[in-house]
């Protein structure tokens, strides 16, 4: 049976809002008919001048964008608020001000339309997003969650049953991409820019460390890599050649993806699972996908990725996660209409 739609439960239509960081995402997901419509506004251009996300600007932009996006998404889905069963929003983790915008708007819409409200864990949204893309995918699996703020390996036994196998002890993989990119003089967000530059580079031109590659556990550490890149950048002097920058970008990407692929395979071995699911923004990285495809093929494991658009933050993952949780009886949408956010929220606290 397809895992992405639950045909046993009563049909459910969810409006989902994502505003945890620098993307305003909205979607309508219907358990019987799938994704009906979605819309996204990225704030990347606005934050670029500052070299990173400015929280106050992010909140203000969400305020301006969210309601028009909701109206457009409902129109695209061919429905009104009255046709929605549950209104879901990203409750955390994320930027407090940005989360408040989504929570406030979701509560207002829910109150206006007399519909229940549900807060969703942002990382669970990422974690389940590959199920949206691939209807043949089902639990259990190992998840490699690689976003701007998190790097985790999880044993996902079932919906809501997430056991942490390993995580970063310092920087996240996304941060390693972003910080290396910054050191190389690239713009924000650094990950995709570094990946683009790396395409013209020779990864063997520089030797960079693979922190914790042989640590024997499933934890990661990327802070040392950033320092190593800094040392190489300084050694290149004031005006490094375009080729040297591309080579260093390729070497950094190779070091990061090397460790991610090796630990993902180790997690499959340790857990006995045969499917790897990749989620989060760094999951869009082409070299990472090549490495994981090869590593999983070598051990006869299956690897699944979300569609590229659903690697980074988006509305469909929030609507979908809410729908799955409600249908499974793991979450009870509420009618108290509180501005309830959790900027810091451990995935392990989700429980059943
Ligand atoms: O999941 P996400 O959109 O936001 C968080 O929840 O953090 O992930 C954003 C991260 C950023 O660090 C960004 O540079 C990285 O994902 N990223 C990439 C690529 N696309 C996004 N890193 C490497 N290669 C990419 N193609
Ligand atoms: Zn995210």
């Amino acid at each position: 049976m397809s895992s992405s739609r639950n045909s046993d439960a009563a049909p459910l239509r969810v409006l989902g809002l994502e505003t945890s960081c620098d993307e305003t995402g909205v979607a309508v997901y219907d358990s019987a008919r799938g994704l009906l419509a979605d819309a996204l506004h990225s704030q990347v251009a606005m934050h670029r001048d500052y070299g990173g996300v400015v929280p106050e600007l992010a909140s203000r932009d969400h305020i301006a964008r969210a309601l028009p996006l909701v109206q457009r998404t409902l129109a695209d889905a061919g429905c009104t608020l009255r046709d929605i069963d549950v209104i879901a929003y990203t409750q955390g983790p994320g930027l407090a001000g940005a989360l408040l915008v989504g929570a406030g708007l979701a509560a207002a819409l829910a109150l206006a339309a007399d519909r229940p409200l549900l807060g969703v864990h942002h990382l669970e949204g990422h974690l389940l997003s590959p199920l949206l893309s691939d209807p043949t995918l089902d639990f259990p699996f190992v998840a490699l969650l690689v976003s701007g703020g998190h790097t985790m390996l999880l044993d996902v036994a079932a919906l809501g049953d997430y056991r942490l196998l390993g995580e970063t002890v310092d920087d996240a993989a996304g941060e390693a991409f972003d910080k290396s990119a910054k050191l190389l003089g690239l713009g924000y967000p650094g990950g995709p820019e570094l990946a683009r530059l790396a395409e013209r580079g020779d990864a063997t031109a520089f030797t960079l460390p693979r922190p914790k590659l042989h640590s024997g556990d499933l934890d990661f550490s990327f802070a040392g890599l950033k320092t190593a890149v800094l040392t190489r950048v300084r050694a290149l002097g004031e005006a490094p050649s375009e080729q040297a920058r591309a080579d260093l970008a390729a070497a950094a990407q190779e070091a990061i993806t090397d460790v991610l692929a090796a630990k993902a395979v180790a997690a499959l071995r340790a857990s006995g699972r045969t499917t790897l699911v990749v989620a989060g923004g760094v999951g869009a990285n082409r070299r990472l996908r090549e490495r994981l495809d090869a590593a999983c093929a070598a051990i006869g494991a299956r690897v699944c990725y979300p569609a590229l658009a659903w690697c980074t933050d988006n509305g469909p993952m929030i609507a979908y996660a809410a729908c799955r949780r409600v249908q499974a009886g793991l979450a009870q949408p509420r009618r108290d209409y509180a501005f309830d956010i959790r900027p810091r929220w451990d995935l392990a606290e989700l429980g059943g």
Side-chain angles (χ1 to χ4, degrees):
M1 190 195 79
S2 154
S3 67
S4 59
R5 296 179 201 171
N6 187 345
S7 53
D8 301 334
L12 193 73
R13 190 174 288 187
V14 180
L15 172 69
L17 269 69
E18 155 63 34
T19 66
S20 68
C21 188
D22 60 348
E23 245 109 34
T24 318
V26 180
V28 176
Y29 182 82
D30 184 295
S31 62
R33 293 173 50 203
L35 185 66
L36 298 187
D38 73 294
L40 183 84
H41 174 75
S42 169
Q43 303 177 354
V44 158
M46 185 181 76
H47 296 294
R48 188 166 281 139
D49 289 349
Y50 305 92
V53 178
V54 184
E56 182 58 27
L57 292 183
S59 312
R60 291 180 194 201
D61 201 62
H62 284 307
I63 291 173
R65 307 282 177 181
L67 186 56
L69 277 187
V70 166
Q71 288 164 331
R72 198 174 98 200
T73 308
L74 287 171
D76 288 350
C79 64
T80 69
L81 268 187
R82 296 275 162 198
D83 305 310
I84 299 292
D85 299 308
V86 174
I87 298 177
Y89 65 97
T90 303
Q91 192 173 2
L95 301 170
L99 290 168
L100 273 174
V101 177
L105 178 58
L109 294 172
L111 182 61
D114 190 23
R115 291 294 181 271
L117 189 63
L118 184 68
V120 172
H121 196 295
H122 181 79
L123 295 182
E124 186 174 45
H126 276 304
L127 200 63
L128 301 180
S129 60
L131 293 161
L132 250 179
S133 304
D134 185 348
T136 69
L137 176 62
D138 208 347
F139 305 105
F141 50 76
V142 163
L144 173 65
L145 213 151
V146 273
S147 69
H150 296 86
T151 301
M152 294 174 162
L153 279 162
L154 297 146
D155 183 28
V156 178
L159 186 73
D161 187 350
Y162 314 134
R163 185 168 62 93
L164 185 67
L165 299 171
E167 65 183 332
T168 184
V169 298
D170 43 52
D171 289 354
E175 269 177 291
F177 269 104
D178 293 341
K179 288 178 178 176
S180 300
K182 206 166 197 169
L183 291 169
L184 283 162
L186 298 170
Y188 158 86
E193 296 251 343
L194 186 133
R196 218 168 295 127
L197 181 60
E199 275 175 28
R200 303 196 298 273
D202 171 9
T204 63
F206 291 91
T207 308
L208 292 174
R210 267 80 171 143
K212 274 189 160 290
L213 184 59
H214 302 294
S215 60
D217 57 24
L218 296 171
D219 286 337
F220 302 88
S221 166
F222 290 109
L225 183 64
K226 169 193 64 193
T227 312
V229 171
L230 174 64
T231 310
R232 304 302 188 282
V233 167
R234 283 196 177 137
L236 287 175
E238 288 289 297
S241 71
E242 195 52 29
Q243 191 57 51
R245 289 174 70 238
D247 290 346
L248 190 47
Q253 176 173 262
E254 206 61 16
I256 297 166
T257 55
D258 211 9
V259 180
L260 291 175
K263 297 268 173 166
V265 164
L268 286 169
R269 288 218 169 94
S271 62
R273 306 293 186 205
T274 53
T275 302
L276 176 72
V277 158
V278 185
V282 181
N285 185 268
R286 228 182 51 194
R287 184 62 183 144
L288 177 63
R289 291 185 174 211
E290 282 172 8
R291 303 294 305 260
L292 292 173
D293 285 345
C296 288
I299 59 164
R302 179 182 174 194
V303 57
C304 301
Y305 311 95
L308 277 183
W310 296 341
C311 284
T312 45
D313 295 347
N314 62 84
M317 71 180 194
I318 301 305
Y320 179 70
C323 191
R324 292 295 305 254
R325 283 190 83 80
V326 173
Q327 287 206 307
L330 291 175
Q332 191 62 48
R334 23 173 256 272
R335 286 180 179 271
D336 59 15
Y337 306 121
F339 280 50
D340 195 4
I341 59 158
R342 301 184 69 176
R344 289 178 181 275
W345 188 5
D346 196 335
L347 192 60
E349 289 171 40
L350 258 189

